[in-house]
Amino acid sequence: MTTTLSKLVSTYIQTHRLIQPHDRVLVGVSGGPDSTALLHLLHRLAPGWPISLGVAHFDHKLRGADSQDDAAWVAKLAEALKLPFFHGEGDVRRHAQQEKISVQMAARQLRLKFFHTIRQRHHYHKLALGHTADDQLELFFLRLLRGSGPEGLKGMWPQSPTGIIRPLLGTPKTRILAWLASCQLPFREDASNLSRHYRRNQLRLDLLPQLLSYNPRLPAAVEHLQALLQEQEEYLSQEAAINLDRLKTAAAACPSLPVDGLLALPPAIQRRVLRLALAQAGVDLNRLTFDHVEAARKLAQRPQPAGEISLPGGWRLVRQYSELQFTKESPVPTPWSEFILPEQGGGMLNALGRTFTWTSELPAENYDFSSAHPSIALMDQQRLDFPLRLRTFRPGDRFQPLGMTGVKKLQDFFVDAKVPRQERPFIPLLLSREQIIWVVGYRLAETVKITAETHQIFKVEARAIREHTP
Ligand SMILES: Nc1ncnc2c1ncn2[C@@H]1O[C@H](COP(=O)(O)OP(=O)(O)OP(=O)(O)O)[C@@H](O)[C@H]1O
């Protein structure tokens, strides 16, 4: 068993060219079975290649004394193997709150930042992580459940362009555990791996065993599919890079993309070109959803020559006639500017001098309406067509104010509501399709009001941006 696993891993490393002679490899060791086995395996293989190893452990401080014990345990292991040890720690919960991300995501971000710093400071060419074939399978189903596209379903690469390597990605966890047992190598147990509080654990403990009872060869089938998806991804991402380079040289300013050139590409390449361009501009791809990319494509396709959408991290994609520009600067609305509320589920957008925040699927039953305010619109979600849009007044605009049976010219509504003439051009209007559904701060439309039949409420709040600035 012992030799077979080292042979298997060694072959995987060679096939995927994960390590070159004289590489300096930093191993991320949590103390769990996978990374502990990885460290031992690399340590046994190291003299033959030859490579030099270092051990890095990050204390997430999420499990009290257990976290500290893990760190001390890994430090001891490194000492026993006579390897340099690097310890890092961070306030994961605070980071999660600040960035409005999950605790797991925050832990991963801080950990990777720590690894990056150590690699730079101590000149490690590679970072080896202990992801296994089981992790790859779980990730596939987690992403499938989340609605990922082929780029997500393809799973983790054995090697990333930044030098992260995963030598155990082809090895099932059962083999790793059996190998550790046969060599009598101890590791740390993480009790949270058994908690059904986490989606990943529910999947591993409940869903996957059920799926395997339908088809015991499911892991092999998924592995095969992922290999195909990775090959396709390699080809398509090369195509995207070539096309982005071509489009960028054709465009006057950078970072920007010519709309015509982008729309001439097949949709599969359009999406990748947009993602790549956004990544190059500095947008965090982990936070960029399919909806963002689709909203960007719609922005390019629409007949109106101006508009914009908001992207994660305060980024904005602005359509200016024949160009799409990526910017973080504040918007300069033109009379024809339109803003799309990109994610139906909820989000935030700075537009037309206000910060709009929206939330969907609030259950109508027992909803507490006491917080009603002119800056808040509560609507019947089923009567809305997404994505909603924002713009200002255009001649000829009409709408059916709440409580009225007929449609009224917006001009007349402004007069009746005594809206000062000079303010009218700046009042944001929320639209569903071509219908005005909210004259922001003044009146909702009759067509979207909440009735006894309403199941789910869509809530939008508009606050003047100056309220936020100190
Ligand atoms: N706290 C940590 N310190 C150092 N490396 C870590 C830490 N947490 C995770 N890693 C690295 O990232 C890999 C994947 O993390 P994940 O949390 O998915 O671990 P896992 O599958 O439970 O593996 P393990 O059995 O090694 O804990 C680990 O195998 C390890 O290489």
Side-chain angles (χ1 to χ4, degrees):
M1 178 71 79
T2 308
T3 42
T4 2
L5 185 67
S6 344
K7 244 198 186 144
L8 183 80
V9 173
S10 155
T11 310
Y12 189 87
I13 289 174
Q14 279 165 23
T15 314
H16 294 276
R17 298 168 191 238
L18 301 188
I19 296 177
Q20 271 70 48
H22 308 292
D23 266 354
R24 286 173 56 75
V25 181
L26 184 68
V27 191
V29 183
S30 65
D34 305 337
S35 49
T36 301
L38 175 67
L39 179 62
H40 284 293
L41 284 162
L42 290 180
H43 184 249
R44 287 166 192 211
L45 294 167
W49 278 333
I51 54 170
S52 48
L53 297 173
V55 179
H57 177 85
F58 189 80
D59 184 348
H60 300 121
K61 294 185 165 295
L62 290 172
R63 291 181 297 116
D66 277 358
S67 292
Q68 280 177 15
D69 292 350
D70 286 352
W73 188 89
V74 177
K76 262 196 160 168
L77 175 61
E79 195 187 337
L81 298 176
K82 298 194 173 45
L83 295 175
F85 174 69
F86 305 94
H87 173 262
E89 58 184 35
D91 192 338
V92 171
R93 288 193 208 283
R94 201 175 67 193
H95 183 63
Q97 267 174 2
Q98 272 170 356
E99 296 295 313
K100 297 190 176 61
I101 51 178
S102 69
V103 169
Q104 279 101 326
M105 176 68 90
R108 189 170 161 268
Q109 279 186 3
L110 291 186
R111 191 165 76 221
L112 288 178
K113 200 168 155 207
F114 159 69
F115 291 150
H116 182 74
T117 312
I118 299 298
R119 276 181 70 188
Q120 293 243 309
R121 204 174 288 159
H122 299 273
H123 314 291
Y124 283 100
H125 304 108
K126 305 277 164 65
L127 168 68
L129 299 178
H131 293 108
T132 64
D134 292 53
D135 293 322
Q136 186 79 308
L137 184 72
E138 287 164 19
L139 190 66
F140 177 86
F141 284 105
L142 282 173
R143 289 187 172 168
L144 188 69
L145 291 172
R146 210 189 299 149
S148 292
E151 278 163 79
L153 297 181
K154 73 171 194 329
M156 295 175 273
W157 295 105
Q159 168 154 222
S160 81
T162 54
I164 293 180
I165 56 169
R166 299 184 170 92
L168 301 182
L169 205 54
T171 310
K173 192 164 186 125
T174 45
R175 291 204 64 171
I176 291 167
L177 292 173
W179 181 76
L180 286 167
S182 70
C183 300
Q184 294 184 326
L185 293 169
F187 55 86
R188 301 282 293 173
E189 297 277 10
D190 179 351
S192 66
N193 279 343
L194 295 174
S195 156
R196 281 181 167 78
H197 175 71
Y198 300 106
R199 171 67 57 97
R200 190 182 196 113
N201 294 351
Q202 291 167 9
L203 179 100
R204 191 179 60 248
L205 301 170
D206 303 328
L207 182 61
L208 274 180
Q210 273 198 42
L211 289 173
L212 286 170
S213 73
Y214 286 92
N215 177 7
R217 293 198 39 78
L218 191 63
V222 172
E223 196 186 323
H224 187 63
L225 173 64
Q226 287 186 314
L228 291 176
L229 287 173
Q230 291 202 348
E231 274 175 18
Q232 288 181 14
E233 182 58 29
E234 240 168 344
Y235 168 71
L236 289 171
S237 58
Q238 272 170 22
E239 280 294 294
I242 293 167
N243 278 291
L244 179 59
D245 274 356
R246 190 173 56 78
L247 290 181
K248 272 202 317 201
T249 39
C254 199
S256 67
L257 282 177
V259 169
D260 288 350
L262 180 72
L263 294 181
L265 299 170
I269 304 291
Q270 272 177 29
R271 292 192 184 95
R272 282 180 166 81
V273 164
L274 275 166
R275 281 175 66 87
L276 194 58
L278 291 168
Q280 286 184 4
V283 178
D284 178 2
L285 283 192
N286 286 318
R287 294 170 65 189
L288 193 75
T289 64
F290 180 76
D291 286 349
H292 287 123
V293 178
E294 288 314 279
R297 290 179 62 223
K298 285 212 178 90
L299 186 66
Q301 286 161 354
R302 42 186 288 184
Q304 294 92 333
E308 71 166 74
I309 57 169
S310 67
L311 297 167
W315 280 91
R316 295 161 43 235
L317 185 61
V318 180
R319 165 93 180 267
Q320 289 276 19
Y321 296 94
S322 57
E323 275 198 1
L324 287 180
Q325 297 171 350
F326 311 100
T327 175
K328 267 197 154 178
E329 280 146 33
S330 60
V332 190
T334 66
W336 291 98
S337 276
E338 276 202 3
F339 303 86
I340 296 171
L341 274 54
E343 297 141 325
Q344 180 178 331
M348 200 185 98
L349 170 72
N350 284 332
L352 303 169
R354 324 234 169 166
T355 300
F356 290 87
T357 43
W358 61 95
T359 328
S360 84
E361 294 183 11
L362 299 167
E365 215 179 28
N366 301 330
Y367 188 84
D368 175 12
F369 290 94
S370 62
S371 62
H373 187 271
S375 64
I376 296 175
L378 299 173
M379 296 167 266
D380 184 335
Q381 178 150 334
Q382 263 173 316
R383 299 185 181 207
L384 304 175
D385 265 312
F386 294 94
L388 304 184
R389 289 175 296 129
L390 281 164
R391 65 166 172 79
T392 47
F393 175 75
R394 288 178 193 169
D397 270 346
R398 289 161 179 275
F399 113 113
Q400 185 181 354
L402 185 67
M404 288 187 57
T405 41
V407 173
K408 197 168 187 167
K409 277 189 181 164
L410 196 58
Q411 184 102 337
D412 295 341
F413 171 80
F414 281 151
V415 174
D416 293 350
K418 299 195 174 44
V419 181
R421 186 181 291 271
Q422 67 278 12
E423 280 183 22
R424 294 176 198 168
F426 300 101
I427 291 180
L429 306 170
L430 185 66
L431 282 90
S432 163
R433 288 220 176 202
E434 295 313 315
Q435 267 191 6
I436 295 172
I437 53 171
W438 187 27
V439 179
V440 174
Y442 287 92
R443 190 81 67 86
L444 204 66
E446 175 73 14
T447 45
V448 295
K449 73 175 180 193
I450 291 165
T451 66
E453 273 90 64
T454 304
H455 291 301
Q456 275 160 348
I457 296 177
F458 189 82
K459 175 181 170 185
V460 186
E461 186 165 2
R463 286 165 157 247
I465 284 176
R466 62 179 175 277
E467 285 177 22
H468 291 293
T469 46

